[in-house]
Amino acid sequence: MQERGRSKRGLGLILSKYYEYLLLPVGIAVFLCLWDYLAKFYDSFILPSPRLVWERGLEFFNHPRLFFSHFLTTLSEAGGGFCLGALTALPVSYFLAKKPALERLLTPYLVGIQAVPIVALAPLLVIWFGFGLTSKVLVAALIAFFPVLANGIVGLRSTNPRLRELMAIMGATKWEVFFKLEFPSALPYIFSGLRLGGTLAVIGAVVGEFAGAGKGLGYIVNFARGSFDTPLLFVAIIALAVLGIGFYLLFFFAEYLAMPWKRRR
């Protein structure tokens, strides 16, 4: 009896220690079971079962060059758009955080551009820049720009003013204050904006492909919708979800590496 009680306590300790790692596979299993159960009450055109989606995905994966060409197209559009948006937003956020007058001047225009639905801007960019990669990258850059900008401004303004005054008293230059104080203190906000901007860039790339494209996961969604191929539509949606999660995890890991003080805490 004592050994059985010890084994139960040991199992309880293991589960309490690793339950966070079990939540993901358990949640996926519950989701798939619920999806399969609901699919029994609907036609496969409305809600295909996980098995049908898996089989349709395997048919598509039998042509790996075809699938990966679409996947890499959307990846390059989202990645290029995110890099363009982030590399533009971070310097602008620094100047807006330092110059309140400049922020008051530019904020109405920035907010106005952000307030216009990207679905309305995408066809205009396609008309201006064509059906190639450039228009999709610009759409992704526009949608990724604002969250990186807003989080950068908030992060740079969150610096403790007493620490800034202390560094000024010690004779630190403007760039020393920035690299040793302001930038490290703003990193949590910056990475939060990067994670959000990376996932939104995927949306921007797909919206650009909806406006006009001959390749990409957004093109696959349009093709599946036009041919009433709902399982293929689910395959494309899952691939887009994997792409967005990949961007999120990439910047989560980058934050883990760039902030050792947070890792230690």
Side-chain angles (χ1 to χ4, degrees):
M1 294 294 291
Q2 292 180 352
E3 292 180 358
R4 185 177 299 177
R6 290 174 184 173
S7 63
K8 289 183 178 179
R9 285 195 298 270
L11 181 60
L13 290 173
I14 293 174
L15 291 177
S16 63
K17 185 176 180 180
Y18 297 103
Y19 79 98
E20 293 183 356
Y21 302 100
L22 297 175
L23 287 177
L24 179 60
V26 171
I28 292 175
V30 171
F31 172 75
L32 291 176
C33 291
L34 181 61
W35 178 8
D36 186 67
Y37 175 76
L38 292 176
K40 297 177 181 179
F41 300 96
Y42 298 94
D43 187 78
S44 60
F45 169 73
I46 303 297
L47 182 63
S49 66
R51 181 179 59 81
L52 287 177
V53 175
W54 175 258
E55 292 175 353
R56 189 67 179 92
L58 289 179
E59 292 177 5
F60 203 57
F61 294 149
N62 286 333
H63 307 280
R65 292 182 60 184
L66 177 62
F67 173 78
F68 284 109
S69 66
H70 290 291
F71 187 86
L72 291 177
T73 297
T74 304
L75 174 61
S76 60
E77 293 166 353
F82 169 78
C83 291
L84 178 61
L87 292 177
T88 306
L90 290 176
V92 173
S93 67
Y94 175 79
F95 288 108
L96 294 184
K98 293 295 183 180
K99 305 291 184 181
L102 184 62
E103 181 186 10
R104 287 192 293 270
L105 176 65
L106 295 180
T107 295
Y109 301 99
L110 296 174
V111 174
I113 293 174
Q114 186 66 23
V116 176
I118 197 65
V119 177
L121 287 177
L124 185 61
L125 293 175
V126 169
I127 292 173
W128 286 350
F129 298 97
F131 292 91
L133 185 68
T134 303
S135 58
K136 315 305 183 300
V137 169
L138 290 176
V139 174
L142 279 176
I143 198 171
F145 174 83
F146 195 77
V148 179
L149 175 71
N151 281 272
I153 294 174
V154 172
L156 290 170
R157 288 181 175 173
S158 67
T159 305
N160 191 330
R162 294 183 178 180
L163 295 178
R164 187 184 289 111
E165 292 173 0
L166 177 61
M167 293 192 68
I169 293 172
M170 297 176 65
T173 64
K174 180 178 66 175
W175 292 111
E176 287 177 336
V177 172
F178 173 74
F179 284 109
K180 295 182 179 180
L181 177 62
E182 293 177 338
F183 183 68
S185 65
L187 277 178
Y189 299 91
I190 291 174
F191 276 109
S192 177
L194 293 176
R195 287 196 298 269
L196 182 58
T199 54
L200 290 177
V202 178
I203 299 175
V206 173
V207 170
E209 291 171 353
F210 283 169
K215 188 182 292 186
L217 294 176
Y219 168 79
I220 294 299
V221 171
N222 267 336
F223 174 79
R225 180 184 59 184
S227 59
F228 302 101
D229 192 347
T230 309
L232 180 60
L233 183 62
F234 271 77
V235 172
I237 291 173
I238 292 172
L240 288 170
V242 170
L243 185 57
I245 293 171
F247 273 109
Y248 184 89
L249 293 179
L250 174 64
F251 293 111
F252 186 85
F253 184 66
E255 180 182 10
Y256 178 83
L257 295 178
M259 300 173 60
W261 60 90
K262 182 179 179 180
R263 186 164 68 245
R264 288 194 296 268
R265 183 168 66 248

